[in-house]
Amino acid sequence: MAANTIEHNRSRFNFEGVEAIWLFGYGSLIYKVDFPFLEKRPATIHGWARRFWQGSHDHRGTPEAPGRVVTLVEQPGVACKGMAYRVSPNVFEYLDVREKNGYLRFRTPMTFEDGSHAEGLVYIATEDNEAFLGHAPEPDIAAQIAGSAGPSGPNSEYLLRLADSLRQLDADCPHTFAIEACIRGSSVSG
Ligand code: SIN
């Protein structure tokens, strides 16, 4: 599948008659909220693990030197906490462009902190997209992130802002925190 998913996403859902829909964010959508929303609530989706396995050629890296950003990979028994936003469907005209480097919108059930549920959408970059990088040891991922930057800024800023946001959400994400520790450790030691 081509890395640019804009057209693919536009043909995926018919929003006719839909006034508002939940969007689940687990990466930059937690902390970079540059879109209008009607309501936001911390939420969890089950069976998915957050991983820095997606290449970023357009935001946090370049085509020659891609950075790494998060996607979700299926993992039974694992919970992924993030932030859900209730948005008007026209917000996806913007978000499909922002998330165009390999992410497709999927339907997902989500659970809010009070135990209630809703169905919504989540952007996932699956392993068949051209920008997918896949598994690597966390210190190697940290080294790639430390050395990458793109039009949206340094890749390390993405990682550090995400780690801070996850702590604020009281979300446990050993993968993100392990990479953060490598990056903070290397910046302390110079
Ligand atoms: C998300 O945040 O939900 C998708 C991945 C990203 O934009 O970082």
Side-chain angles (χ1 to χ4, degrees), residues 129-187:
N129 86 85
E130 280 174 3
F132 191 79
L133 295 176
H135 170 81
E138 284 157 352
D140 294 1
I141 292 180
Q144 184 174 353
I145 289 174
S148 300
S152 298
N155 203 174
S156 55
E157 181 195 38
Y158 176 105
L159 176 277
L160 295 174
R161 289 189 71 185
L162 177 57
D164 284 342
S165 311
L166 293 176
R167 265 188 294 277
Q168 277 168 30
L169 274 174
D170 208 13
D172 190 22
C173 186
H175 173 73
T176 300
F177 295 143
I179 297 167
E180 181 197 23
C182 295
I183 293 215
R184 289 200 191 276
S186 61
S187 62

Side-chain angles (χ1 to χ4, degrees), residues 98-156:
R98 173 172 154 178
E99 303 296 320
K100 69 181 184 308
N101 200 39
Y103 293 87
L104 289 178
R105 287 190 249 122
F106 289 88
R107 284 187 189 279
T108 181
M110 57 188 90
T111 308
F112 301 115
E113 286 182 316
D114 64 2
S116 61
H117 303 278
E119 168 139 321
L121 297 176
V122 58
Y123 283 96
I124 298 178
T126 54
E127 63 181 36
D128 57 352
N129 86 85
E130 280 174 3
F132 191 79
L133 295 176
H135 170 81
E138 284 157 352
D140 294 1
I141 292 180
Q144 184 174 353
I145 289 174
S148 300
S152 298
N155 203 174
S156 55

Side-chain angles (χ1 to χ4, degrees), residues 24-30 70 98-99 103 123 158:
F24 178 79
Y26 57 92
S28 69
L29 290 175
I30 299 179
V70 287
R98 173 172 154 178
E99 303 296 320
Y103 293 87
Y123 283 96
Y158 176 105

Side-chain angles (χ1 to χ4, degrees), residues 52-136:
F52 275 82
W53 287 8
Q54 174 67 3
S56 178
H57 305 85
D58 57 343
H59 283 299
R60 300 292 181 167
T62 61
E64 299 73 37
R68 275 188 181 252
V69 290
V70 287
T71 184
L72 295 178
V73 294
E74 273 187 282
Q75 203 168 305
V78 165
C80 176
K81 190 166 184 186
M83 188 62 81
Y85 306 87
R86 204 160 62 81
V87 298
S88 157
N90 62 21
V91 167
F92 290 101
E93 284 164 31
Y94 164 66
L95 287 178
D96 285 352
V97 175
R98 173 172 154 178
E99 303 296 320
K100 69 181 184 308
N101 200 39
Y103 293 87
L104 289 178
R105 287 190 249 122
F106 289 88
R107 284 187 189 279
T108 181
M110 57 188 90
T111 308
F112 301 115
E113 286 182 316
D114 64 2
S116 61
H117 303 278
E119 168 139 321
L121 297 176
V122 58
Y123 283 96
I124 298 178
T126 54
E127 63 181 36
D128 57 352
N129 86 85
E130 280 174 3
F132 191 79
L133 295 176
H135 170 81

Side-chain angles (χ1 to χ4, degrees), residues 21-42:
I21 186 157
W22 284 101
L23 163 71
F24 178 79
Y26 57 92
S28 69
L29 290 175
I30 299 179
Y31 65 80
K32 188 179 175 193
V33 189
D34 57 357
F35 53 89
F37 61 88
L38 304 162
E39 188 184 347
K40 81 173 189 180
R41 296 175 74 178

